[in-house]
Amino acid sequence: MLKVLKNRLEQGNRTSKYPKVPINLYNRYRGLPQINPDCDSATIKACATACPQEAIDASSCKIDLGKCVFCGQCETQSKGEFVKFTQNFEMGVANKNDLLTGGSLPALAEHSKKHFKKLFGRSLQLRQISAAGCNACEADTNVLNTPFFDLSRFGIQFVASPRHADGIHVTGPISRNMHAATITTFEAVPSPKVVIASGSCAISGGPFYGSDDIIGDLNSIIPVDLYIPGCPPHPITTLHALLKYFK
Ligand code: SF4
Ligand code: SF4
C-alpha cells in the first residue's frame, strides 16, 4: 500500500489537460491534408492513380476523407507538392459530403445538433458495435478509457447494453454477416438516439472498399449523425469530435 502511495505521489496526475491545454502529437501523425490545387495536373493525376482507395478526385482537387486511409502515398508521390498532411486532428463532420475536402472542414460545433447537446451534453452513453474490420479502430477507441484521456471525466461512457445507451458508435465495414446484428442493436437503443460512424471502414468500406461481402457505408442502412474519419481515427480525433458535437 505504501508503495502504491509512493508511486502515486511520485507520478502525480497523468491525465491530459486537453481540451484546456493544446495537445501535441507525434511528428509522423497524419491529420487533415493540406491540398495545393495549383499543383500541375500530371502530378495530381499520378496521385489519384496511386491512391489505393480511389479517394482523390483529380478534377476538383479534393480528397474524400471518408475513403482515405491516411497511407501518405499521395504526399510521397507528389513530394508534398499536391498533398501535405498536417497535425490537425480535428476532422469530425456532421455531413458526409463535407468529407470530400479541398483541405478545410466546417467547424463541427456549428453543425452539431442543438437538441443532442441538450439531451446528452452532461451524460452520453454509447454502445460500441464492432462490425468486422481489423480491430484497430476498436483498440484506439478503448484508449479513450485509459487514465491519459479519461473519457468518463466528460460524462461519456461506453456501456455493455444497447438498452442503457443513448447511441451507437460503429467501427468496421459492416460485413453482410453483421448487417442484421447492427440493425438489431440500433433498434434496441431507446429513442432519441445518435449514430456515429467511426473510421474509414464504417464510412466507406475502408480497405475493404469494393468487396461484395461488406455494406461499407453505415449511412446506407442507418442515418448517421457524426462521422469520424481515420484508419483508425486517432483517439484525440474521436475525443475532439465527441466534445464538439455533444458538449
Ligand atoms: S493518403 Fe489518402 S488520399 Fe492519399 S493516397 Fe493514401 S488513401 Fe489516397
Ligand atoms: S478503418 Fe482502418 S483501422 Fe479501422 S477497422 Fe477499418 S481497416 Fe481497421
Side-chain angles (χ1 to χ4, degrees), residues 30 33 47-57 62-65 67-77 82-83 85 200:
R30 293 191 188 107
C47 289
T49 308
C51 175
Q53 292 298 109
E54 298 178 357
I56 299 175
D57 181 357
K62 288 185 172 173
I63 292 182
D64 188 342
L65 294 184
K67 287 183 181 172
C68 178
V69 291
F70 296 81
C71 66
Q73 181 64 34
C74 50
E75 188 177 33
T76 310
Q77 178 84 34
F82 175 46
V83 180
F85 284 89
S200 167

Side-chain angles (χ1 to χ4, degrees), residues 120-126 154-158 166-167 194 196 242 246-247:
F120 308 128
R122 288 168 69 95
S123 168
L124 175 69
Q125 318 289 314
L126 295 170
F154 301 107
I156 305 171
Q157 280 171 327
F158 285 90
D166 303 307
V194 293
I196 302 168
L242 295 177
F246 295 106
K247 299 286 159 185

Side-chain angles (χ1 to χ4, degrees), residues 11-238:
Q11 294 193 14
N13 184 351
R14 295 291 181 99
T15 302
S16 160
K17 293 193 171 49
Y18 178 85
K20 283 186 184 151
V21 176
I23 201 161
N24 289 325
L25 297 177
Y26 184 52
N27 60 8
R28 285 172 63 188
Y29 166 77
R30 293 191 188 107
L32 188 66
Q34 206 172 48
I35 296 170
N36 172 18
D38 299 325
C39 179
D40 70 274
S41 58
T43 305
I44 298 174
K45 271 189 197 143
C47 289
T49 308
C51 175
Q53 292 298 109
E54 298 178 357
I56 299 175
D57 181 357
S59 53
S60 64
C61 295
K62 288 185 172 173
I63 292 182
D64 188 342
L65 294 184
K67 287 183 181 172
C68 178
V69 291
F70 296 81
C71 66
Q73 181 64 34
C74 50
E75 188 177 33
T76 310
Q77 178 84 34
S78 69
K79 298 190 177 70
E81 294 282 313
F82 175 46
V83 180
K84 247 188 210 161
F85 284 89
T86 70
Q87 296 264 300
N88 184 355
F89 54 80
E90 299 180 357
M91 292 189 284
V93 298
N95 300 315
K96 194 176 179 191
N97 292 343
D98 291 333
L99 289 171
L100 186 62
T101 178
S104 60
L105 295 171
L108 186 55
E110 285 162 26
H111 282 71
S112 63
K113 293 183 183 165
K114 294 268 179 332
H115 69 280
F116 281 169
K117 279 185 193 263
K118 212 170 173 187
L119 285 168
F120 308 128
R122 288 168 69 95
S123 168
L124 175 69
Q125 318 289 314
L126 295 170
R127 161 72 198 205
Q128 165 67 27
I129 301 179
S130 179
C134 75
N135 209 32
C137 275
E138 291 86 332
D140 269 9
T141 305
N142 281 344
V143 167
L144 288 171
N145 294 316
T146 59
F148 181 77
F149 290 102
D150 192 15
L151 186 65
S152 59
R153 74 194 147 118
F154 301 107
I156 305 171
Q157 280 171 327
F158 285 90
V159 292
S161 168
R163 300 261 180 233
H164 301 155
D166 303 307
I168 54 173
H169 177 272
V170 182
T171 51
I174 312 125
S175 61
R176 301 256 168 226
N177 286 343
M178 279 300 292
H179 185 190
T182 304
I183 303 273
T184 308
T185 309
F186 169 71
E187 286 173 348
V189 177
S191 293
K193 50 192 161 188
V194 293
V195 177
I196 302 168
S198 178
S200 167
C201 276
I203 301 171
S204 70
F208 307 97
Y209 171 69
S211 165
D212 289 339
D213 293 325
I214 61 157
I215 306 290
D217 174 7
L218 180 64
N219 194 51
S220 66
I221 56 169
I222 298 170
V224 172
D225 300 294
L226 177 61
Y227 297 89
I228 307 177
C231 184
H234 192 285
I236 199 71
T237 302
T238 303

